[in-house]
Amino acid sequence: MCCNRIWICAVIIANHFKKNILCQSISSADVGSAPVGAARLREREREREMLLLLLLLVTAVASWDIDVVLTQEASGAVGGEPFAVQPRVKVTNLKGILQTSILGTVSAELMESPSGYELLRRRNDDTDNGAEVERDDDDDNTGSHQVEVIDGVATFAGLYIDEAGGGYRLRYIFRDEYGLTLGHVDASTTFAVVVGEPYRIAVTANPGRAYGGALFGDMPAVGVKDRGGNHLSDINAG
């Protein structure tokens, strides 16, 4: 992979010099006879050089000696509760050496989920244990949450998912201090979110249209739910 990137860089640089020399030759031949045309040609040459330099920059970023390693996967997921084990990611070079001086952030997001509409959420640090769950609007509430890389390590806290079910998988994306994406890593396995402990009583069915002295068209119903809003179907007392 690294050799291929170096070869690509070499080809782009060679093409840059080749086109530059060609443009200079054409420009020199036309300067005496058509000064206006020569000026336009030089302007196009500068635009071409800027484009090639941009390509060189993109290639340099793509070939950065960076690797993103997941050292601790999320586990112990209960509906509406922070994962018992929060994920941890480290940034190394391709030789596995921790990059303690690198700046940037790592974002966590759902790569796979049961329906594709579930969101990865994060509990605010100032939320009381007994208070209603507060929703974090980080990253426009797209379900992506980021933490700063400190000494080459990004440690997440407070991540959770409301909806119980299986087939969840997380992805972690590393971006430098300028917002350029330099790598990502996916969780090696999927995990499940299980239904939690009873947390609140909620209306599960509203009453239908009613007339004086007659039964409701639809009877109201309430149920016990966990903190993530999942129905506890095994509650038969209380």
Side-chain angles (χ1 to χ4, degrees):
M1 179 69 72
C2 184
C3 293
N4 290 337
R5 288 172 177 170
I6 294 174
W7 181 82
I8 292 172
C9 286
V11 170
I12 293 176
I13 293 172
N15 288 336
H16 169 66
F17 283 110
K18 180 179 178 181
K19 292 180 180 180
N20 190 27
I21 294 173
L22 178 61
C23 289
Q24 288 179 353
S25 300
I26 296 174
S27 178
S28 299
D30 291 345
V31 165
S33 58
V36 176
R40 291 178 179 174
L41 187 59
R42 284 194 296 271
E43 183 178 351
R44 292 176 182 175
E45 177 186 345
R46 286 192 294 270
E47 293 175 353
R48 189 180 296 109
E49 288 178 346
M50 290 298 295
L51 179 59
L52 289 170
L53 288 175
L54 179 61
L55 289 174
L56 285 173
L57 176 61
V58 172
T59 305
V61 171
S63 62
W64 200 313
D65 185 21
I66 289 297
D67 195 14
V68 185
V69 181
L70 181 60
T71 59
Q72 182 170 280
E73 298 199 25
S75 63
V78 177
E81 301 285 353
F83 302 145
V85 178
Q86 294 286 322
R88 184 181 297 119
V89 175
K90 69 178 181 179
V91 181
T92 71
N93 62 13
L94 296 180
K95 295 181 180 179
I97 300 175
L98 186 66
Q99 302 297 286
T100 56
S101 61
I102 200 163
L103 301 177
T105 60
V106 174
S107 298
E109 61 185 39
L110 276 175
M111 177 186 174
E112 298 176 15
S113 66
S115 71
Y117 292 101
E118 293 82 3
L119 289 178
L120 177 67
R121 303 181 185 274
R122 180 171 60 189
R123 179 79 56 81
N124 290 335
D125 294 335
D126 57 355
T127 302
D128 294 332
N129 290 332
E132 183 70 22
V133 177
E134 297 183 13
R135 302 311 186 202
D136 188 1
D137 291 333
D138 185 36
D139 289 346
D140 297 327
N141 201 27
T142 59
S144 176
H145 305 279
Q146 65 182 26
V147 296
E148 185 178 355
V149 176
I150 300 176
D151 295 330
V153 178
T155 303
F156 290 88
L159 296 182
Y160 70 97
I161 298 171
D162 280 336
E163 297 84 359
Y168 287 99
R169 187 192 301 269
L170 298 179
R171 167 171 289 177
Y172 307 91
I173 304 171
F174 172 63
R175 296 179 177 90
D176 68 5
E177 66 270 34
Y178 303 107
L180 295 175
T181 300
L182 300 183
H184 74 272
V185 61
D186 299 334
S188 60
T189 59
T190 59
F191 64 92
V193 177
V194 300
V195 177
E197 295 295 322
Y199 179 70
R200 60 189 172 92
I201 296 176
V203 175
T204 59
N206 291 311
R209 179 176 297 179
Y211 301 94
L215 297 175
F216 290 127
D218 295 310
M219 289 296 175
V222 296
V224 179
K225 296 189 176 184
D226 68 4
R227 199 168 184 128
N230 302 292
H231 179 66
L232 280 73
S233 59
D234 59 346
I235 301 294
N236 298 310

